[in-house]
Amino acid sequence: MGSGGQSSLYQHGRIGTKVFAYETDDEPWWRRDKIPLICAFCMTPVVSQRTTVGRAPRGALFRLTADRQHEDTCPLNPTEVLQKIAHGSQGVAVIEGDELHLVLPDDPGQFGAATPVIDADSPAPVKRVNMDISTVRPLLPPVINSAVVIARFLQKHDFDDEVVAQFKVRRPGETKAVDWGEFCHGPLPGDQARLYARLTGGMKPGYPVAVYGRVTAVEHDSQDRPVLRLADGHGFTVRVRSEHASLLAPLTVGAFVLAVGVWKVWTPRRGRPELQMFAEKHWQLAHWTYDAATGPSSPPACPPPLSLAQRVLRQTRAAATRKPAPRRAAAPSPRPRPSAPPPTAPLPVHAPPTAAMPTSAVSPAAPMPTSPPGPGVPDPVPPHPTPPARPPLPPQPAAPPRSRTRRSWWPFGRRR
């Protein structure tokens, strides 16, 4: 298990001068004299490790001797750090055995919700070099702040596999924890290449993910806005962009950054493909400086929040990019039709217009045929014979047909 980038000489029961990780690549005098080393913050024995570890090239560091652990009060003790992170995470980081699980919210919008309070009820810790893992300023949401503290702690252990294995992530909607690398991609180029393969292979994460890296260059786009280039991966480039220059202005070359957001792959017409993220909120970018050789680390920070004018501009641009819903074509209004006569009796169509005839000369109108009753409907019951039936109405004369060329009525009275 890793022990950071510095240690101390221990000889004749006394703590001697500090030694740094970069000295392990040479042949220092304390190695020739076989002087034992201890952790820079406790009395645990450590050994020096040269630059190359296995196939992956890594920086030099000091490792704990076999079957040894940091003291309980040592800030490099993972158990103490796990308890500290869980205490100040407002419930988003929980202890499971000897592991710390970072619980990602189901709603992506909750990544930037609430404000954390790290160790609010405990006294201020003693200031120690390279051990400040306090809350990021301005205050960050609990999920982001916990992720930053974890990333900085792993950085101090040079992302030792045994230390990384103690941190897990619970993805949205899942109860089973997965490796830390499923959420945070870095520091090696192969870690970022894995995210590139996920985005191009159709297995896109449905939640914001983090990329840990170091700013290698500050470029400018066509509108003279700053663009951060983090690394050149296997055939692609990692960049962080933003429409607001104030979010990227505090980050300089050499700074370490944890960028959390929605990442995508963009392939320009010319040049290499780009793994990019557009920062829209200040909490998406936490940055700090760290010297892996000597160990000093600056307190973590993040850009200032957007101003009111910037938020209004962002909302206006977001509303402009939304496609309006297609409007339905208005149905043509129907033309007014003349009111038809009441369907009391059928009008003769081809009968010529005649004068009014006496009632006795007009034959009664033929009764309208009734529709047959539906299946299963009983015949109507005849009325009781006691009350007399009403006499039938006298036959009505047939109404004269309407003519289109002449009127059958006169506006000033009946036509005679």
Side-chain angles (χ1 to χ4, degrees):
M1 189 172 294
S3 181
Q6 57 179 320
S7 64
S8 300
L9 298 176
Y10 188 75
Q11 189 176 19
H12 307 301
R14 294 184 179 183
I15 300 176
T17 58
K18 291 185 178 181
V19 295
F20 302 100
Y22 69 90
E23 298 178 354
T24 61
D25 286 338
D26 302 326
E27 191 64 25
W29 64 270
W30 46 264
R31 178 178 292 170
R32 294 194 304 267
D33 296 343
K34 298 182 180 181
I35 298 178
L37 303 176
I38 59 173
C39 174
F41 306 99
C42 66
M43 299 296 295
T44 306
V46 298
V47 294
S48 60
Q49 178 68 57
R50 291 183 179 272
T51 301
T52 303
V53 179
R55 297 181 179 180
R58 295 185 177 181
L61 74 159
F62 299 96
R63 302 178 64 88
L64 296 175
T65 56
D67 302 328
R68 298 300 298 265
Q69 298 291 335
H70 289 280
E71 297 178 1
D72 293 341
T73 58
C74 180
L76 286 180
N77 187 341
T79 303
E80 294 297 319
V81 174
L82 266 59
Q83 294 290 342
K84 178 183 177 67
I85 298 175
H87 175 72
S89 66
Q90 296 186 2
V92 300
V94 295
I95 299 292
E96 293 289 344
D98 59 348
E99 298 176 349
L100 179 71
H101 293 183
L102 182 64
V103 183
L104 304 182
D106 295 337
D107 183 6
Q110 294 298 319
F111 273 78
T115 302
V117 179
I118 299 292
D119 292 346
D121 299 331
S122 61
V126 179
K127 182 68 176 181
R128 294 178 176 178
V129 179
N130 196 27
M131 288 300 110
D132 186 8
I133 54 175
S134 59
T135 307
V136 183
R137 302 289 177 174
L139 294 179
L140 291 179
V143 175
I144 307 301
N145 191 85
S146 300
V148 172
V149 175
I150 294 173
R152 283 167 51 83
F153 179 73
L154 295 179
Q155 183 186 47
K156 293 174 177 59
H157 285 273
D158 197 36
F159 288 87
D160 186 88
D161 294 337
E162 296 183 12
V163 182
V164 175
Q166 292 186 266
F167 296 91
K168 304 291 183 180
V169 177
R170 294 184 191 174
R171 293 179 292 193
E174 300 181 7
T175 57
K176 183 179 179 181
V178 297
D179 294 336
W180 172 254
E182 293 296 321
F183 169 70
C184 182
H185 300 79
L188 299 178
D191 302 329
Q192 300 164 354
R194 190 161 42 85
L195 176 59
Y196 183 91
R198 292 176 63 183
L199 297 177
T200 55
M203 300 296 293
K204 299 181 180 180
Y207 53 92
V209 296
V211 168
Y212 164 85
R214 193 173 190 178
V215 180
T216 59
V218 178
E219 306 167 340
H220 290 81
D221 59 8
S222 58
Q223 300 182 12
D224 202 27
R225 294 174 301 194
V227 178
L228 304 181
R229 190 179 72 197
L230 298 187
D232 292 331
H234 300 290
F236 63 92
T237 303
V238 183
R239 287 188 174 93
V240 177
R241 300 176 180 268
S242 179
E243 295 182 352
H244 309 286
S246 61
L247 294 181
L248 305 184
L251 283 81
T252 57
V253 176
F256 290 89
V257 58
L258 186 73
V260 183
V262 178
W263 290 81
K264 64 179 182 179
V265 175
W266 174 62
T267 304
R269 295 183 178 179
R270 298 180 179 178
R272 307 173 67 184
E274 181 176 318
L275 178 63
Q276 63 176 216
M277 186 199 80
F278 271 84
E280 299 179 351
K281 303 290 184 62
H282 72 283
W283 52 262
Q284 294 183 265
L285 299 172
H287 59 94
W288 64 94
T289 59
Y290 175 69
D291 190 344
T294 59
S297 177
S298 67
C302 65
L306 297 180
S307 63
L308 177 60
Q310 289 175 320
R311 293 197 302 268
V312 172
L313 178 61
R314 182 172 59 86
Q315 295 174 358
T316 303
R317 290 178 176 177
T321 55
R322 298 193 190 101
K323 296 182 179 180
R327 296 183 177 179
R328 296 182 178 180
S333 58
R335 295 182 179 179
R337 298 181 179 179
S339 58
T344 56
L347 300 178
V349 180
H350 301 286
T354 57
M357 301 177 65
T359 306
S360 59
V362 179
S363 61
M368 295 293 294
T370 58
S371 59
V377 179
D379 296 333
V381 180
H384 198 272
T386 304
R390 293 184 180 182
L393 296 176
Q396 300 294 331
R402 299 179 61 180
S403 176
R404 298 183 180 179
T405 57
R406 57 183 301 183
R407 298 175 182 266
S408 61
W409 52 274
W410 190 252
F412 301 102
R414 185 180 297 276
R415 186 177 182 183
R416 299 182 183 274

